[in-house]
Each structure stands twice: as structure tokens, then as C-alpha cells.
Amino acid sequence: MKRSRQELCPEIVEVPLFDSRPSRSAIHPATVYICPSTGHADERLGGRQPGYVYQRDGHPNADILSEKCRRIHNAPRAVITSSGMSAITLGLISQIEAGDHVLMSNRLYGRSLALVDQELGRFGIAHSVVDMCDLQAVNDSIQANTKMLVVETISNPTLRVVDLQSLANLAHESDALLMVDNTFASPIVCQPFESGADLVVESLTKIMNGHGDVSLGLLCGTDASWDRVEYALSTWGWTSGPFDCWLAERGLSTLFLRMTSACKSAFEIANFLSKAGGVESVLYPGLAVHPDLEIAKRQFETHQGEPLFGNIVTFLLSDSTQAAADRFIQQATDIPFCPSLGDLVTTLSHPLSSSHRTLSVESQKDLAIFPGTIRLSIGLESPEFIQEAIKKGLAGLDF
Ligand SMILES: *Cc1c(COP(=O)(O)O)cnc(C)c1O
């Protein structure tokens, strides 16, 4: 039987839309676009003509999503990547080369530290690690070849908040760039470009998509930092998929509502936990006992006249043992133990057995992460419901 091209792949049928305009973005899954001529292919692949040729080099759904994220962040430039980690890798790879030095916060996401330590180190990139809340220590750690400072707006899981403007100043005095991982804050809580950041990363997997069903990353930057970004993104192959971008675009449309609601609830839960039996201490940047309250108030966005402090609340059980943490997890049946954050519903994590399990006992202690440390990512349930769910978890531990 003859097998023609038409039988395998019928001619593209274009359905006329007449004057009907879809109210939502279309999904463009094509891996390749038809080139009408050699000149056309050459112009587009060479970047002299706008348009699409090959999905890894760019596709409409990534461009729609990156443009929306760029506007939310008030950023000059933005690209979407396959994950938060690839966004961080892209931010580094596009700016540094062998012989350069990178200064990292000691509280960074474990994989970010591993990236520089275990991976980039093999390519001749040096790094050191410092407490970015200690500006004198940061100043003392900057070397002649330091090209970048990497820090998180709100650290995991102890929720320390760094002074971004001072860090940007220190970086710029030494011709280095400041890259900020803003995942725990989101642009609703913090806009790092206003404080002088050069590159901003979000794991869209978390708060930005907010529905726990997509892995994607965002890298935003200034014009001056952008030379190699798009070329490196395509060449290293960290491009996103169209359907994931479309889902994240949908998730993004409720970001403001989700995050303002979750921040408000988180503040209530932090206050509730501060008085709850069985709880030794509570970490939340909005509490008077938090060491960075003043920085947070100055640096974070407000909503209806109230500062936003994020949707993550960390607390320490009075009985700080793994057994007590397990008991809390077994009893708090309405709060699933999901080692991530930013989902629609409230979830919990146990840093010592998940995100920070590979650290030495000494580093865990230095970072104030104990067997009884529990991190909550507050979702969209009512604060009353979340309080009841926590009370169930604390039953028998609330001596
Ligand atoms: C999750 C996370 C990342 C990595 O993002 P992925 O999308 O999982 O690759 C980076 N930084 C922080 C602070 C995170 O929480």
C-alpha cells in the first residue's frame, strides 16, 4: 500500500476564526515551523527576523509566559526555563567563566550550593559561602575575581531576609552582579530589581504556578546582563515545554489573589503558633521576635496598607525529636507532608529529612535546623481550618 506524506501527516488544516478572538492563549506544541525559503530560514535562525523555527530556540507559549512574568517583575528581560534549577544555572553560566569566583549565601537552596560546589567547580569556577545577613562578612569575602553574589530573598527554612540594596551596592562596588532567587517571596512580596538586583530567579514550580502540576523556571535580567542568556538557554538545552508554559500562564493569573490571601493567613498562623502549647519557637518575618523584621518591612510590598511577609511559616516543636516530628506528621492528616511549597493547599515539610538531609550535623545546627523543625507552606484554606489541622497535629505534644 502506498504511504504518502498526506496519509502520515495530513496537510495542516487551518480553521478560520473569522472575527472571533479567543479570550485565552492557544497552545503551540509544534517542535518545528515551516520555512518558506532558504533566506527566510537563514534570517530567522540568525535572529535577524522575528519568528519561530525550532522549539528549543523559542516558542510562543514561552514568550507569552515570559512577557507576563517580565511585567510582574518590572524587569527589562525575562526567559522561561525548564526548572528553577536550570534558571539558576543559566544565570550563572551566562555570566561567568573559568577563573571567576562566585560568592554564595550559606542559606541557599541545597541544590544551588551543590551546583556550584559539585558541578561548576569542575569547570574551574571558584566559590565561597558566607552569611549574607552579615554585610561585613560579605564585604570581606569579595575577591578581585568575584563576578557574582547569589542570595535568596527569604531563606529556607529559617526565613532570614537579606538586605538586597546593601548587597547590590557591595556587588556593584566590585563590578560583580547580584543574582537573587526570589522563589520564597514571589514578586507579590518582593521586587528585587527595585533594590538593585541584576538577575532574578523564580522557581515557577512553586508559588508562581501555584497548582503543583508544572516544573518551570524564570530568569529575569537587565539589558547589561543579557548578552549570552538566550544563546546559552538554547545551546545548553534548558528550554521549557509549551503545555507547561500554558498551564503556568493559567496559574499566574491568580498569583496576586493566591499570594495576598496566603500571606494574610500565614501571619495569623504564625501568631497562633506563637501561643500554641507544644511549640518552642516560631520563625516568620512579620513577628516582632524575628531578627529581620525591619528589613522585611522596608523591602517587602504592602497590600491594603499591611506589609506582606510571605506564606511560609517555620516552627520548632518543644519536643525536638524526629519521633515527635513524625507524630505531628501522622496526626496532622489535613496537612500533607510534601517537600515543596506554594501549592493551593497548605503543605508541610521536614527540612532535616528532606531539603537539608545531606548537610553535616554541624551545618544543620549552624543554620538552626533541628529534628523538631517543621516548615508550613500556607495555602488557600481558611485560617480557622489550618489552625484546626495544626491542633490535630500537636495533640499529645502540647504539654
Ligand atoms: C525549589 C527551589 C528551587 C529549584 O526549583 P525547581 O523548579 O525545583 O528546579 C530553587 N530555589 C528555591 C529557593 C527553591 O525553593
Side-chain angles (χ1 to χ4, degrees), residues 82-88 108-112 152 154 156 181-184 201-206 214-217 339-341 375:
S82 55
S83 68
M85 277 319 301
S86 55
I88 293 168
L108 283 189
Y109 186 66
R111 291 276 177 181
S112 304
E152 287 168 21
I154 305 176
N156 174 31
D181 179 341
N182 200 48
T183 301
F184 269 57
V201 168
E202 301 273 359
S203 166
L204 300 183
T205 314
K206 316 287 173 55
V214 151
S215 270
L216 284 176
S340 184
L341 60 130
R375 189 195 78 195

